[in-house]
């Protein structure tokens, strides 16, 4: 057994001291780093499983303590979405406001605070999960869109309109912020990253920007129309149709409003999509917003590097190949079957956002790998200087590097995989509807009114919310 004062033990003690200091710095730089050593998707798996059945009515409360930590913005988004899914719109509104406030804090920071410096420095020796979470642009856009739906289902139309307008503004400002941030890191791309970016681009299909969301634009247009602002509604429907050009309900909305507003585009729209279908006397309209499944979780891939004779590994986030198609919704009980059509592929937005982020992630990885290599070399040099036969410090350092090199797999995981749209005119009355084999839900239709039906399908359980406007 080595003597306590032997070179072997002296190196081990120095390594433990350095490691303890790094972990102490990590602790001081934030209250909670739940994703540093435990992947975020594994934390959310039980929650998503609960949402796939009727679940606990207060499921969202488990995130209350975590909202005060470094990932607080993300947990506030998850808590707000969970409360919203189970129908507690007031609780959801409060959680979403915490997330909105957190984004605003990011916007307001003109200088890097001491806590940010600690987190950034720790990320060089640990992993990206210690960096405070700031969601990608599409998450922030959807945060305001979902807050608008909270206001709408709480019967505050003006509050809803404020939120969707903010959502639309963010689709432009977030894209500008992304382009600015990428200007300094484009040169970092390498063969591995280029190949992954190309693969993710193919997986995203026709989605070329994570910042343009037809679901958000459609929600804004619908609210404008319901509030009598039909010119504004036409503009937003057209933006949505540019992103989702094959959605027949969007096409009909454009034809109908172009005809009603006597717009010059009416004849062109009529030729392309047929004449407008209008309500008959005594009819109201039903609008169905259908959300299906959950957005996929990030995976990781590892790239080995050899620097200064030591193996280092870099872990980056990715998405598994092969997107699974989402079936078309069929709502029965409204006369003939109402078949919904895809409006926005949220999974494609998530994939595209990651593709846009990869050059920046590589930039951070390059700095991290170099820092870890330098630390390992320093330990080995010290061991050689003291003529240690057993390089325990260097071996321990390499083990630490492997264990801590975890890809940043954080993302808003309770978002839907896809949003679909359906629209129909119906005679006034009460209808018993269901989606596929789901439970039956009663909805009312009133003459010259709009019944908005929000259907959220989470695995094996489907929830229905409706409001007459």
């Amino acid at each position: 057994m080595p003597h306590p004062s032997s070179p072997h033990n002296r190196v081990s003690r120095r390594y433990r001291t350095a490691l303890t200091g790094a972990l102490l710095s990590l602790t001081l730089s934030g209250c909670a780093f739940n994703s540093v050593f435990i992947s975020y998707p594994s934390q959310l798996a039980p929650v998503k499983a609960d949402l796939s059945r009727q679940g606990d009515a207060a499921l969202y409360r488990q995130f209350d303590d975590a909202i005060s930590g470094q990932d607080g913005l993300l947990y506030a988004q998850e808590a707000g979405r969970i409360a919203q899914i189970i129908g507690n719109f007031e609780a959801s509104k409060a959680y979403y406001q915490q997330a909105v406030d957190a984004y605003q804090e990011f916007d307001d920071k003109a200088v890097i605070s001491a806590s940010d410096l600690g987190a950034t420095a720790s990320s060089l020796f640990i992993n990206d999960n210690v960096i405070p979470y700031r969601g990608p642009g599409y998450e922030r856009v959807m945060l305001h869109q979902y807050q608008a739906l909270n206001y709408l289902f709480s019967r505050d139309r003006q509050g809803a309109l404020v939120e969707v307008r903010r959502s639309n503004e963010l689709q432009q400002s977030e894209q500008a912020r992304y382009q600015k941030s990428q200007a300094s890191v484009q040169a970092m791309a390498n063969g591995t990253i280029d190949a992954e970016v190309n693969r993710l681009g193919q997986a995203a299909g026709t989605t070329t920007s994570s910042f343009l969301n037809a679901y958000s634009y459609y929600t804004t247009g619908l609210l404008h129309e319901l509030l009598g602002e039909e010119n504004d509604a036409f503009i937003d429907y057209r933006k949505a149709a540019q992103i989702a050009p094959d959605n027949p309900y969007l096409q009909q909305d454009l034809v109908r409003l172009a005809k009603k507003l006597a717009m010059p585009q009416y004849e062109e729209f009529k030729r392309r999509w047929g004449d407008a279908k209008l309500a008959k006397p005594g009819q109201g309209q039903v609008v169905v917003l259908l959300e299906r499944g959950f957005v996929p979780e990030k995976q990781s891939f590892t790239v080995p590097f050899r620097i200064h004779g030591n193996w280092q590994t870099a872990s980056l986030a990715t998405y598994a190949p092969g997107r699974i198609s989402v079936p078309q919704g069929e709502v029965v009980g409204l006369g003939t079957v109402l078949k919904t059509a895809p409006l926005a592929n949220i999974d494609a937005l998530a994939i595209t956002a990651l593709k846009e982020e990869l050059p920046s992630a590589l930039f951070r990885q390059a700095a991290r790998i170099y820092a870890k290599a330098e630390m390992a070399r320093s330990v080995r040099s010290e061991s050689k200087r003291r003529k240690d036969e057993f390089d325990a410090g260097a071996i321990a350092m390499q083990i630490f590097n492997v264990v801590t090199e975890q890809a940043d797999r954080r993302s808003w995981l309770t978002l839907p995989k896809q949003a679909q749209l359906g629209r129909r005119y119906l005679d006034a009355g009460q209808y018993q509807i269901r989606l596929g084999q789901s439970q039956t839900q009663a909805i009312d239709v009133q003459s010259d009114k709009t019944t908005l039906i929000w259907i959220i399908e989470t695995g094996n359980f489907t929830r229905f919310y409706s409001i007459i406007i």
Side-chain angles (χ1 to χ4, degrees), residues 33 35 79 215 233 403:
F33 292 87
S35 302
Y215 190 13
V403 171

Side-chain angles (χ1 to χ4, degrees), residues 71-87:
D71 289 345
L73 187 155
L74 179 55
Y75 290 118
Q77 290 182 159
E78 300 285 17
R81 175 64 176 161
I82 294 165
Q84 189 172 60
I85 288 174
I86 63 179

